[in-house]
Amino acid sequence: MGFIAFLILGLIAGAIAKAILPGRQGGGWIATLVLGVIGALLGSWIGGAIFNKGTDIFSLTSLATWIFAILGSLIVLVIYGFVTRKSSHA
């Protein structure tokens, strides 16, 4: 998958993860992009570990790519929520 395609996947996956998870998440589209790219990386790593394949098999047209990218973005968003919640109460 190319770099631009990975950024597009990350932006969309991050936006979907923010829409799925209830609550108020801070950050604009750049934070969503970073969250989504990190989540897509995590999701592709998890998908590669589960299916015992390299991460190069994932493409934008694959449903598994989207599912794992969104799942990874949700994981990153939950962790981000815990980190920012603790720092705002300190």
Side-chain angles (χ1 to χ4, degrees):
M1 183 180 328
F3 181 72
I4 301 295
F6 200 73
L7 288 178
I8 293 169
L9 172 69
L11 180 61
I12 295 171
I16 291 171
K18 279 190 169 185
I20 291 173
L21 203 64
R24 299 180 72 189
Q25 296 93 13
W29 69 272
I30 294 177
T32 303
L33 175 69
V34 171
L35 162 84
V37 168
I38 293 171
L41 283 170
L42 178 65
S44 68
W45 181 79
I46 291 171
I50 289 173
F51 295 118
N52 200 17
K53 302 274 188 196
T55 56
D56 58 337
I57 63 159
F58 296 102
S59 69
L60 285 178
T61 58
S62 171
L63 181 62
T65 300
W66 287 98
I67 290 172
F68 281 113
I70 294 168
L71 192 97
S73 296
L74 284 169
I75 293 169
V76 172
L77 186 59
V78 167
I79 293 169
Y80 177 74
F82 281 130
V83 169
T84 58
R85 188 176 315 143
K86 287 186 179 198
S87 66
S88 66
H89 285 87

